Amino acid sequence: MPKKAKPVLSLGINPELIKIILKEEMKKRNWSNYRLSHESGVSQSSVSDHFNETKNVIPSNDTIDRYCTALGISHSDLVIRAEYYKSKKGELLPLLWEKIEKMSKSGHMELLEYCDKIIIKEEHKKAHDIYEDDDE
């Protein structure tokens, strides 16, 4: 008897990361939420809820399976990509990029200025910690 695939959500993958990967696949195909709904058989309102940033609705394993089938990707592909993000890019980087892409140019400038402040603050802290270590 063939082994049944493990449900994606039981593998400890961040559900937000799963949604981002599914959105990337939709973007590659130039699919709207409506098209995903039509191809997967998941109601349009459910698809909208799953991909709406203001709602924190996590699709069930069955729904993820339906999305994967509609998009022509396997659970293994989904898991491999999620693991890649976790190990190579850091799990939060795709989440960050998704938000940055939606920002205006002035928002990008504000973010860069804020990042510079954080980096400078961390460099000062490291320098201070090194100085304190030398005193001991």
Side-chain angles (χ1 to χ4, degrees), residues 59-87:
S60 67
N61 284 312
D62 178 56
T63 302
I64 292 170
D65 189 37
R66 291 167 79 178
Y67 290 156
C68 286
T69 300
L71 292 163
I73 60 173
S74 67
H75 275 178
S76 339
D77 292 336
L78 196 61
V79 171
I80 288 167
R81 283 177 62 188
E83 288 300 319
Y84 170 79
Y85 281 135
K86 284 171 72 174
S87 65

Side-chain angles (χ1 to χ4, degrees), residues 24-67:
E24 286 174 354
E25 289 297 320
M26 289 170 61
K27 191 174 184 178
K28 279 184 199 175
R29 291 162 180 76
N30 203 21
W31 281 18
S32 63
N33 285 354
Y34 174 79
R35 174 79 186 267
L36 182 61
S37 169
H38 177 74
E39 297 292 333
S40 66
V42 176
S43 74
Q44 204 171 343
S45 64
S46 291
V47 172
S48 293
D49 285 349
H50 295 148
F51 295 104
N52 183 332
E53 287 184 25
T54 58
K55 296 184 179 182
N56 193 17
V57 180
I58 300 168
S60 67
N61 284 312
D62 178 56
T63 302
I64 292 170
D65 189 37
R66 291 167 79 178
Y67 290 156

Side-chain angles (χ1 to χ4, degrees), residues 16-29:
E16 291 301 317
L17 196 52
I18 291 171
K19 291 196 265 186
I20 287 172
I21 294 167
L22 292 171
K23 280 195 243 183
E24 286 174 354
E25 289 297 320
M26 289 170 61
K27 191 174 184 178
K28 279 184 199 175
R29 291 162 180 76

